[in-house]
Amino acid sequence: MISHSLMRMRATIVCAAVLVFALGGCASTGNPRDPLEPLNRGIYMFNDGVDHLLVKPAAEIYRGVVPEIVRTGVSNFFSNINDVIVALNSLLQGKILQAVSDVGRIAVNTTIGLLGTLDVATQLGLEKHNEDFGQTLGYWGIGDGPYIVLPILGPSSLRDTIGLIGDFKVDPKTYVDPARDRNLLYGLYFVNRRSELLETTRILEVAALDPYEFVRDAYLQRRRNLVYDGSPPDEDDIEIKVKPKPGGGAGLTPRRLSADEGNNVESILVSSDRVPTPAEIESRERSLQLSAAALQPGAQRVEGPVMKTRVVRVWLPGGRN
């Protein structure tokens, strides 16, 4: 019976997401990243009510009764399960070494770490990463789409909602049998996760003038940061408007600054207002490195500071009289 309830809840979430997209035209606001704000605010209030009525009290009881060392073991256990999703998405993004590290974390923590309750891998230098299908879609250039608040699940976007389906299919918790054990496992996961966010909720309630906007902006900024692995290009990259010569834009040839002119900063010229995807940035960085190596075939490699890539958007106006 619990399994049927869980299936109905999933169906409700999917239907709500479809309804969000269908009502996009009539719920538009002035915020381009949140065109469904009125509807999203309604779902946010519903989620907040459920949280205050059921989820938050359960998390507070859990935190008050369960010792910290046990809660840490539970968090490590679910983190180890999540590494399966992380490893697969690291591979899908072409991060081979990171994927190998993620698989190594799973092997070490599952065995030496007693099914993941002890995070031995981190102590051995295998770093914990954060990847999911939403980030993989963003890595390959899929835009995040409109901001969405999902019932029960909370803040998301069109891209991340699609990514949730992939995460669900890969998540080992999905395939636990019987259904009663699977539902208990999911219940423990959500309560434990909510207990980890109790302090964050208190800060939100005290510091945020508009909690909805605070959560929305924090979510979008964090997801953008994750997609670009902590180094997202600025929203307002350096804009260079090139004045055309008489007779149009002919003869305008972009050039890369020398090391002295650019202060050891390589510039990637992008002739449009589209922000490069993470995959494109990495490809251009590799091209620059290969070009620099080709210019000095006989020179020995000298270790030094890694050049920082600066994305420069260039508008080349058409020929106007």
Side-chain angles (χ1 to χ4, degrees):
M1 183 172 180
I2 298 178
S3 178
H4 291 303
S5 300
L6 187 59
M7 293 178 61
R8 286 197 297 268
M9 184 182 72
R10 293 172 188 161
T12 301
I13 292 173
V14 173
C15 292
V18 173
L19 181 62
V20 164
F21 305 143
L23 296 179
C26 61
S28 179
T29 66
N31 191 322
R33 306 191 72 179
D34 188 8
L36 310 172
E37 183 174 341
L39 184 60
N40 283 336
R41 281 186 179 273
I43 299 176
Y44 176 86
M45 293 178 63
F46 167 77
N47 290 347
D48 191 56
V50 172
D51 179 69
H52 279 80
L53 184 64
L54 299 174
V55 185
K56 184 178 179 181
E60 290 174 337
I61 295 173
Y62 170 81
R63 187 170 185 175
V65 173
V66 180
E68 181 179 359
I69 187 173
V70 177
R71 298 199 309 271
T72 301
V74 172
S75 297
N76 290 338
F77 172 77
F78 286 116
S79 177
N80 187 53
I81 293 177
N82 178 256
D83 279 338
V84 175
I85 300 175
V86 173
L88 177 58
N89 283 281
S90 294
L91 186 62
L92 291 176
Q93 294 176 30
K95 302 173 182 177
I96 306 300
L97 294 180
Q98 180 173 306
V100 172
S101 175
D102 296 331
V103 173
R105 282 184 57 87
I106 298 172
V108 171
N109 285 339
T110 303
T111 55
I112 303 177
L114 304 179
L115 297 180
T117 55
L118 301 177
D119 188 4
V120 181
T122 298
Q123 299 177 11
L124 296 179
L126 297 175
E127 181 184 355
K128 169 72 175 177
H129 300 111
N130 188 336
E131 305 288 354
D132 54 52
F133 276 101
Q135 293 181 56
T136 298
L137 294 175
Y139 179 86
W140 293 110
I142 305 299
D144 51 7
Y147 175 73
I148 302 168
V149 179
L150 297 176
I152 308 299
L153 299 181
S156 185
S157 65
L158 175 56
R159 180 189 66 206
D160 291 343
T161 301
I162 297 173
L164 284 175
I165 301 174
D167 293 336
F168 177 78
K169 292 296 184 181
V170 177
D171 192 344
K173 297 192 296 293
T174 305
Y175 303 98
V176 173
D177 282 322
R180 181 188 65 180
D181 294 342
R182 179 171 62 250
N183 295 330
L184 290 175
L185 192 64
Y186 270 112
L188 177 60
Y189 169 77
F190 284 116
V191 172
N192 181 75
R193 181 58 181 156
R194 183 63 182 89
S195 71
E196 295 174 343
L197 300 175
L198 288 174
E199 295 299 331
T200 304
T201 303
R202 295 189 183 98
I203 295 175
L204 174 65
E205 293 172 348
V206 172
L209 296 177
D210 186 341
Y212 170 82
E213 288 188 1
F214 184 91
V215 171
R216 177 193 64 196
D217 296 343
Y219 175 83
L220 293 175
Q221 182 178 1
R222 178 176 180 273
R223 292 299 295 178
R224 177 178 172 83
N225 191 62
L226 288 174
V227 167
Y228 285 92
D229 292 330
S231 301
D234 294 335
E235 298 276 358
D236 51 348
D237 293 326
I238 303 172
E239 299 181 2
I240 302 177
K241 295 184 178 180
V242 181
K243 183 177 180 180
K245 295 180 180 180
L252 294 177
T253 304
R255 68 183 181 88
R256 188 178 303 138
L257 297 177
S258 66
D260 293 334
E261 294 173 316
N263 193 24
N264 291 331
V265 177
E266 292 283 0
S267 298
I268 297 175
L269 299 182
V270 183
S271 59
S272 70
D273 59 352
R274 184 178 67 84
V275 178
T277 66
E280 291 172 340
I281 290 178
E282 287 191 7
S283 176
R284 288 167 183 158
E285 287 177 346
R286 286 194 294 268
S287 297
L288 289 174
Q289 293 171 358
L290 291 175
S291 298
L295 291 176
Q296 299 178 346
Q300 295 183 352
R301 183 176 178 181
V302 179
E303 298 294 338
V306 179
M307 290 186 178
K308 180 181 178 182
T309 302
R310 178 179 61 191
V311 178
V312 181
R313 297 187 302 198
V314 180
W315 280 259
L316 299 178
R320 288 187 180 181
N321 296 328

